[in-house]
Amino acid sequence: MTAAANKQIMQDLLARTAAGDRAPYVAVLADDVTITVTGQYSWSQTLRGKEALLRDLYGHLATLLAEGRRTIPLHFIAEDDFVVVEAKGEMRTKAGVPYNNDYCLIYRLRDRRIIEIREYCDSALTERVLGPFPAERTRPA
């Protein structure tokens, strides 16, 4: 795939996700996808596999955040297999506290599938609003 094709895939997926349809995004995750939440705080970790990503990270977020959460993509930059996305979260916790984080997400694609994700965000905001990541959901790298 070309960088332009990968960029278009991510633009389409993230537009649908921002509109509330997460199914196409989940469908494009490779079974062996890895996600690394960068930094040196309780949420920092690397999860391996679609099941772990959905269960341990996205599953935990679903217990904390109210319905209607959105991550709005602002800018896309693509080179080779990588698509970099600047995005803004528009979310609230189930208790009604705003959680509007800024993100830099780096996606690596192969054969129209997301095989790797690196997430950069405001870690202090994450821990202040969402609390520490539960140790029982953390998987060894």
Side-chain angles (χ1 to χ4, degrees), residues 44-91:
S44 301
Q45 62 182 307
T46 297
L47 294 169
R48 290 175 175 30
K50 183 175 183 175
E51 181 181 325
L53 170 59
L54 297 177
R55 178 192 60 229
D56 297 326
L57 182 59
Y58 294 168
H60 180 58
L61 286 169
T63 70
L64 301 174
L65 298 172
E67 288 300 316
R69 61 189 182 270
R70 299 183 335 144
T71 301
I72 312 300
L74 304 172
H75 299 101
F76 294 82
I77 301 167
E79 181 177 295
D80 300 324
D81 294 341
F82 294 92
V83 179
V84 178
V85 181
E86 178 188 10
K88 177 75 174 172
E90 290 183 358
M91 305 173 208

Short mmCIF file of all heavy atoms in Angstrom, two decimals, residues 44-91:
data_model
loop_
_atom_site.label_atom_id
_atom_site.label_comp_id
_atom_site.label_asym_id
_atom_site.label_seq_id
_atom_site.Cartn_x
_atom_site.Cartn_y
_atom_site.Cartn_z
N SER A 44 1.20 3.52 31.00
CA SER A 44 2.25 3.19 30.04
C SER A 44 2.47 1.68 30.00
O SER A 44 2.75 1.06 31.03
CB SER A 44 3.57 3.86 30.42
OG SER A 44 3.42 5.26 30.46
N GLN A 45 2.34 1.12 28.80
CA GLN A 45 2.52 -0.32 28.63
C GLN A 45 2.43 -0.65 27.15
O GLN A 45 2.00 0.17 26.34
CB GLN A 45 1.46 -1.10 29.40
CG GLN A 45 0.04 -0.83 28.92
CD GLN A 45 -0.98 -1.58 29.73
OE1 GLN A 45 -0.87 -2.80 29.87
NE2 GLN A 45 -1.96 -0.88 30.28
N THR A 46 2.81 -1.85 26.83
CA THR A 46 2.61 -2.39 25.49
C THR A 46 1.71 -3.61 25.62
O THR A 46 2.00 -4.52 26.39
CB THR A 46 3.94 -2.79 24.83
OG1 THR A 46 4.75 -1.61 24.68
CG2 THR A 46 3.72 -3.42 23.47
N LEU A 47 0.60 -3.57 24.89
CA LEU A 47 -0.32 -4.70 24.84
C LEU A 47 -0.16 -5.37 23.49
O LEU A 47 -0.05 -4.70 22.47
CB LEU A 47 -1.76 -4.24 25.02
CG LEU A 47 -2.11 -3.66 26.39
CD1 LEU A 47 -3.47 -3.00 26.37
CD2 LEU A 47 -2.05 -4.74 27.45
N ARG A 48 -0.18 -6.70 23.50
CA ARG A 48 -0.01 -7.47 22.28
C ARG A 48 -1.27 -8.26 21.98
O ARG A 48 -1.75 -9.01 22.83
CB ARG A 48 1.18 -8.41 22.42
CG ARG A 48 2.51 -7.67 22.44
CD ARG A 48 3.68 -8.59 22.71
NE ARG A 48 5.01 -8.07 22.64
CZ ARG A 48 5.45 -6.87 22.89
NH1 ARG A 48 4.64 -5.93 23.17
NH2 ARG A 48 6.72 -6.55 22.84
N GLY A 49 -1.81 -8.04 20.80
CA GLY A 49 -2.97 -8.77 20.34
C GLY A 49 -4.25 -7.97 20.44
O GLY A 49 -4.44 -7.17 21.36
N LYS A 50 -5.11 -8.20 19.47
CA LYS A 50 -6.40 -7.51 19.40
C LYS A 50 -7.24 -7.77 20.65
O LYS A 50 -7.85 -6.86 21.20
CB LYS A 50 -7.13 -7.96 18.13
CG LYS A 50 -8.43 -7.28 17.86
CD LYS A 50 -8.98 -7.76 16.52
CE LYS A 50 -10.26 -7.09 16.13
NZ LYS A 50 -10.68 -7.49 14.76
N GLU A 51 -7.26 -9.01 21.08
CA GLU A 51 -8.06 -9.37 22.26
C GLU A 51 -7.61 -8.58 23.49
O GLU A 51 -8.42 -8.04 24.24
CB GLU A 51 -7.97 -10.87 22.52
CG GLU A 51 -8.79 -11.32 23.71
CD GLU A 51 -8.66 -12.80 23.96
OE1 GLU A 51 -8.54 -13.59 23.01
OE2 GLU A 51 -8.69 -13.18 25.15
N ALA A 52 -6.30 -8.50 23.72
CA ALA A 52 -5.77 -7.75 24.87
C ALA A 52 -6.09 -6.27 24.76
O ALA A 52 -6.46 -5.62 25.75
CB ALA A 52 -4.27 -7.97 25.00
N LEU A 53 -5.96 -5.71 23.57
CA LEU A 53 -6.26 -4.29 23.35
C LEU A 53 -7.72 -4.01 23.67
O LEU A 53 -8.04 -3.08 24.41
CB LEU A 53 -5.94 -3.90 21.90
CG LEU A 53 -6.42 -2.53 21.43
CD1 LEU A 53 -5.83 -1.41 22.26
CD2 LEU A 53 -6.08 -2.35 19.96
N LEU A 54 -8.62 -4.82 23.12
CA LEU A 54 -10.05 -4.59 23.33
C LEU A 54 -10.45 -4.84 24.78
O LEU A 54 -11.24 -4.08 25.35
CB LEU A 54 -10.87 -5.49 22.40
CG LEU A 54 -10.68 -5.21 20.90
CD1 LEU A 54 -11.48 -6.21 20.08
CD2 LEU A 54 -11.05 -3.79 20.54
N ARG A 55 -9.91 -5.87 25.39
CA ARG A 55 -10.28 -6.22 26.76
C ARG A 55 -9.63 -5.30 27.79
O ARG A 55 -10.31 -4.73 28.64
CB ARG A 55 -9.88 -7.68 27.03
CG ARG A 55 -10.17 -8.17 28.44
CD ARG A 55 -9.50 -9.51 28.72
NE ARG A 55 -8.05 -9.39 28.59
CZ ARG A 55 -7.30 -10.24 27.87
NH1 ARG A 55 -7.84 -11.26 27.24
NH2 ARG A 55 -5.99 -10.06 27.80
N ASP A 56 -8.31 -5.16 27.71
CA ASP A 56 -7.59 -4.52 28.79
C ASP A 56 -7.53 -3.00 28.69
O ASP A 56 -7.66 -2.32 29.71
CB ASP A 56 -6.17 -5.09 28.88
CG ASP A 56 -6.18 -6.58 29.23
OD1 ASP A 56 -7.08 -7.00 29.99
OD2 ASP A 56 -5.32 -7.31 28.73
N LEU A 57 -7.35 -2.45 27.51
CA LEU A 57 -7.29 -1.00 27.40
C LEU A 57 -8.66 -0.42 27.06
O LEU A 57 -9.24 0.33 27.84
CB LEU A 57 -6.25 -0.57 26.35
CG LEU A 57 -6.08 0.95 26.21
CD1 LEU A 57 -5.67 1.60 27.53
CD2 LEU A 57 -5.09 1.28 25.12
N TYR A 58 -9.19 -0.77 25.91
CA TYR A 58 -10.48 -0.22 25.50
C TYR A 58 -11.59 -0.67 26.45
O TYR A 58 -12.52 0.10 26.73
CB TYR A 58 -10.80 -0.58 24.06
CG TYR A 58 -9.87 0.02 23.02
CD1 TYR A 58 -9.89 -0.42 21.72
CD2 TYR A 58 -8.97 1.04 23.34
CE1 TYR A 58 -9.04 0.12 20.74
CE2 TYR A 58 -8.12 1.59 22.38
CZ TYR A 58 -8.16 1.13 21.09
OH TYR A 58 -7.33 1.66 20.12
N GLY A 59 -11.50 -1.89 26.94
CA GLY A 59 -12.50 -2.38 27.88
C GLY A 59 -12.50 -1.59 29.17
O GLY A 59 -13.56 -1.25 29.71
N HIS A 60 -11.31 -1.29 29.68
CA HIS A 60 -11.22 -0.49 30.90
C HIS A 60 -11.75 0.92 30.65
O HIS A 60 -12.50 1.46 31.48
CB HIS A 60 -9.78 -0.46 31.42
CG HIS A 60 -9.64 0.35 32.68
ND1 HIS A 60 -10.34 0.07 33.83
CD2 HIS A 60 -8.89 1.44 32.95
CE1 HIS A 60 -10.01 0.94 34.77
NE2 HIS A 60 -9.14 1.79 34.26
N LEU A 61 -11.38 1.51 29.54
CA LEU A 61 -11.89 2.85 29.22
C LEU A 61 -13.41 2.87 29.18
O LEU A 61 -14.04 3.83 29.64
CB LEU A 61 -11.31 3.35 27.90
CG LEU A 61 -9.84 3.78 27.95
CD1 LEU A 61 -9.30 4.00 26.55
CD2 LEU A 61 -9.70 5.05 28.79
N ALA A 62 -14.02 1.82 28.66
CA ALA A 62 -15.48 1.76 28.57
C ALA A 62 -16.13 1.74 29.96
O ALA A 62 -17.26 2.19 30.11
CB ALA A 62 -15.91 0.53 27.77
N THR A 63 -15.41 1.25 30.97
CA THR A 63 -15.97 1.26 32.33
C THR A 63 -15.90 2.65 32.95
O THR A 63 -16.62 2.94 33.90
CB THR A 63 -15.24 0.27 33.27
OG1 THR A 63 -13.91 0.74 33.54
CG2 THR A 63 -15.22 -1.14 32.69
N LEU A 64 -15.04 3.52 32.42
CA LEU A 64 -14.83 4.85 33.00
C LEU A 64 -15.55 5.97 32.26
O LEU A 64 -15.96 6.95 32.88
CB LEU A 64 -13.33 5.17 32.98
CG LEU A 64 -12.41 4.23 33.74
CD1 LEU A 64 -10.96 4.61 33.50
CD2 LEU A 64 -12.74 4.24 35.24
N LEU A 65 -15.69 5.84 30.94
CA LEU A 65 -16.17 6.94 30.11
C LEU A 65 -17.64 6.76 29.73
O LEU A 65 -18.09 5.65 29.45
CB LEU A 65 -15.31 7.07 28.86
CG LEU A 65 -13.84 7.39 29.12
CD1 LEU A 65 -13.04 7.31 27.83
CD2 LEU A 65 -13.69 8.76 29.78
N ALA A 66 -18.35 7.88 29.68
CA ALA A 66 -19.76 7.88 29.29
C ALA A 66 -19.89 7.64 27.80
O ALA A 66 -18.95 7.87 27.02
CB ALA A 66 -20.39 9.23 29.67
N GLU A 67 -21.07 7.19 27.40
CA GLU A 67 -21.37 7.03 25.97
C GLU A 67 -21.24 8.39 25.29
O GLU A 67 -21.35 9.42 25.92
CB GLU A 67 -22.77 6.46 25.79
CG GLU A 67 -22.89 5.01 26.17
CD GLU A 67 -21.98 4.10 25.36
OE1 GLU A 67 -21.90 4.26 24.13
OE2 GLU A 67 -21.35 3.22 25.97
N GLY A 68 -21.02 8.34 23.99
CA GLY A 68 -20.88 9.57 23.22
C GLY A 68 -19.46 10.09 23.19
O GLY A 68 -19.21 11.19 22.70
N ARG A 69 -18.52 9.30 23.68
CA ARG A 69 -17.12 9.74 23.65
C ARG A 69 -16.63 9.78 22.22
O ARG A 69 -16.99 8.93 21.41
CB ARG A 69 -16.26 8.84 24.52
CG ARG A 69 -16.24 7.40 24.10
CD ARG A 69 -15.52 6.56 25.16
NE ARG A 69 -15.42 5.20 24.80
CZ ARG A 69 -16.32 4.26 25.10
NH1 ARG A 69 -17.40 4.60 25.76
NH2 ARG A 69 -16.15 3.02 24.73
N ARG A 70 -15.81 10.79 21.95
CA ARG A 70 -15.30 10.94 20.58
C ARG A 70 -13.84 11.35 20.61
O ARG A 70 -13.42 12.09 21.49
CB ARG A 70 -16.07 12.03 19.83
CG ARG A 70 -17.51 11.76 19.69
CD ARG A 70 -18.30 12.77 18.89
NE ARG A 70 -17.77 14.10 18.82
CZ ARG A 70 -17.84 14.88 17.73
NH1 ARG A 70 -18.41 14.44 16.63
NH2 ARG A 70 -17.36 16.08 17.73
N THR A 71 -13.10 10.86 19.65
CA THR A 71 -11.75 11.34 19.39
C THR A 71 -11.79 11.92 17.99
O THR A 71 -12.06 11.21 17.03
CB THR A 71 -10.72 10.20 19.49
OG1 THR A 71 -10.79 9.64 20.81
CG2 THR A 71 -9.31 10.71 19.24
N ILE A 72 -11.57 13.21 17.90
CA ILE A 72 -11.70 13.94 16.64
C ILE A 72 -10.33 14.07 15.98
O ILE A 72 -9.43 14.72 16.53
CB ILE A 72 -12.26 15.36 16.87
CG1 ILE A 72 -13.50 15.32 17.78
CG2 ILE A 72 -12.54 16.07 15.56
CD1 ILE A 72 -14.64 14.52 17.27
N PRO A 73 -10.12 13.48 14.81
CA PRO A 73 -8.84 13.65 14.12
C PRO A 73 -8.73 15.06 13.55
O PRO A 73 -9.68 15.58 12.98
CB PRO A 73 -8.90 12.59 13.01
CG PRO A 73 -10.35 12.33 12.79
CD PRO A 73 -11.05 12.61 14.08
N LEU A 74 -7.56 15.66 13.73
CA LEU A 74 -7.33 17.02 13.26
C LEU A 74 -6.40 17.06 12.05
O LEU A 74 -6.64 17.81 11.11
CB LEU A 74 -6.74 17.87 14.39
CG LEU A 74 -7.56 17.94 15.67
CD1 LEU A 74 -6.79 18.65 16.76
CD2 LEU A 74 -8.91 18.59 15.40
N HIS A 75 -5.31 16.30 12.12
CA HIS A 75 -4.31 16.30 11.04
C HIS A 75 -3.79 14.89 10.82
O HIS A 75 -3.67 14.11 11.76
CB HIS A 75 -3.13 17.21 11.40
CG HIS A 75 -3.52 18.63 11.58
ND1 HIS A 75 -3.69 19.20 12.82
CD2 HIS A 75 -3.82 19.60 10.68
CE1 HIS A 75 -4.04 20.45 12.68
NE2 HIS A 75 -4.14 20.73 11.40
N PHE A 76 -3.45 14.61 9.57
CA PHE A 76 -2.89 13.32 9.18
C PHE A 76 -1.60 13.55 8.41
O PHE A 76 -1.56 14.41 7.51
CB PHE A 76 -3.86 12.57 8.25
CG PHE A 76 -5.14 12.16 8.90
CD1 PHE A 76 -6.19 13.04 9.04
CD2 PHE A 76 -5.30 10.85 9.36
CE1 PHE A 76 -7.38 12.65 9.63
CE2 PHE A 76 -6.49 10.45 9.95
CZ PHE A 76 -7.53 11.35 10.08
N ILE A 77 -0.58 12.80 8.74
CA ILE A 77 0.68 12.82 8.01
C ILE A 77 1.04 11.36 7.73
O ILE A 77 1.01 10.53 8.64
CB ILE A 77 1.81 13.48 8.82
CG1 ILE A 77 1.44 14.92 9.19
CG2 ILE A 77 3.13 13.43 8.06
CD1 ILE A 77 2.35 15.53 10.24
N ALA A 78 1.37 11.05 6.50
CA ALA A 78 1.66 9.66 6.14
C ALA A 78 3.01 9.54 5.44
O ALA A 78 3.38 10.41 4.63
CB ALA A 78 0.57 9.11 5.22
N GLU A 79 3.70 8.47 5.78
CA GLU A 79 4.96 8.13 5.12
C GLU A 79 5.14 6.62 5.21
O GLU A 79 5.03 6.04 6.29
CB GLU A 79 6.13 8.84 5.81
CG GLU A 79 7.47 8.54 5.16
CD GLU A 79 8.61 9.31 5.82
OE1 GLU A 79 8.61 10.55 5.72
OE2 GLU A 79 9.47 8.65 6.43
N ASP A 80 5.37 6.00 4.08
CA ASP A 80 5.54 4.55 4.01
C ASP A 80 4.34 3.85 4.67
O ASP A 80 3.21 4.11 4.30
CB ASP A 80 6.87 4.11 4.64
CG ASP A 80 8.07 4.74 3.93
OD1 ASP A 80 8.01 4.91 2.70
OD2 ASP A 80 9.04 5.08 4.62
N ASP A 81 4.59 2.98 5.67
CA ASP A 81 3.52 2.23 6.34
C ASP A 81 2.90 2.99 7.51
O ASP A 81 2.01 2.45 8.18
CB ASP A 81 4.08 0.91 6.89
CG ASP A 81 4.53 -0.04 5.81
OD1 ASP A 81 4.11 0.12 4.65
OD2 ASP A 81 5.32 -0.95 6.12
N PHE A 82 3.36 4.19 7.77
CA PHE A 82 2.95 4.93 8.97
C PHE A 82 2.01 6.07 8.65
O PHE A 82 2.19 6.79 7.67
CB PHE A 82 4.18 5.48 9.70
CG PHE A 82 5.06 4.41 10.25
CD1 PHE A 82 6.12 3.91 9.51
CD2 PHE A 82 4.83 3.87 11.51
CE1 PHE A 82 6.93 2.90 9.99
CE2 PHE A 82 5.65 2.87 12.02
CZ PHE A 82 6.70 2.38 11.26
N VAL A 83 1.01 6.24 9.53
CA VAL A 83 0.11 7.39 9.47
C VAL A 83 0.10 8.00 10.87
O VAL A 83 -0.22 7.33 11.85
CB VAL A 83 -1.31 7.00 9.05
CG1 VAL A 83 -2.22 8.23 9.01
CG2 VAL A 83 -1.31 6.31 7.69
N VAL A 84 0.46 9.27 10.94
CA VAL A 84 0.48 10.00 12.21
C VAL A 84 -0.78 10.86 12.26
O VAL A 84 -1.09 11.56 11.30
CB VAL A 84 1.74 10.89 12.33
CG1 VAL A 84 1.73 11.68 13.64
CG2 VAL A 84 3.00 10.05 12.20
N VAL A 85 -1.48 10.77 13.38
CA VAL A 85 -2.74 11.49 13.53
C VAL A 85 -2.68 12.36 14.79
O VAL A 85 -2.42 11.85 15.89
CB VAL A 85 -3.94 10.52 13.65
CG1 VAL A 85 -5.24 11.29 13.79
CG2 VAL A 85 -3.98 9.57 12.46
N GLU A 86 -2.91 13.66 14.61
CA GLU A 86 -3.13 14.54 15.75
C GLU A 86 -4.63 14.54 15.99
O GLU A 86 -5.41 14.71 15.04
CB GLU A 86 -2.64 15.95 15.46
CG GLU A 86 -2.88 16.89 16.61
CD GLU A 86 -2.59 18.35 16.28
OE1 GLU A 86 -2.36 18.69 15.11
OE2 GLU A 86 -2.62 19.16 17.22
N ALA A 87 -5.03 14.34 17.25
CA ALA A 87 -6.46 14.24 17.54
C ALA A 87 -6.79 14.90 18.87
O ALA A 87 -5.92 15.09 19.72
CB ALA A 87 -6.89 12.78 17.56
N LYS A 88 -8.06 15.22 19.04
CA LYS A 88 -8.55 15.84 20.26
C LYS A 88 -9.70 14.99 20.79
O LYS A 88 -10.64 14.68 20.05
CB LYS A 88 -9.06 17.26 19.95
CG LYS A 88 -9.66 17.98 21.12
CD LYS A 88 -8.59 18.43 22.06
CE LYS A 88 -9.18 19.29 23.18
NZ LYS A 88 -8.19 19.59 24.19
N GLY A 89 -9.62 14.60 22.05
CA GLY A 89 -10.69 13.85 22.67
C GLY A 89 -11.79 14.77 23.16
O GLY A 89 -11.52 15.85 23.67
N GLU A 90 -13.02 14.33 22.99
CA GLU A 90 -14.20 15.00 23.55
C GLU A 90 -14.95 13.94 24.33
O GLU A 90 -15.74 13.18 23.77
CB GLU A 90 -15.08 15.59 22.46
CG GLU A 90 -14.48 16.77 21.75
CD GLU A 90 -15.42 17.38 20.71
OE1 GLU A 90 -16.53 16.85 20.50
OE2 GLU A 90 -15.01 18.37 20.09
N MET A 91 -14.67 13.87 25.63
CA MET A 91 -15.21 12.78 26.44
C MET A 91 -15.58 13.30 27.82
O MET A 91 -15.11 14.34 28.24
CB MET A 91 -14.18 11.65 26.58
CG MET A 91 -13.68 11.13 25.26
SD MET A 91 -12.33 9.95 25.46
CE MET A 91 -11.48 10.19 23.92
#
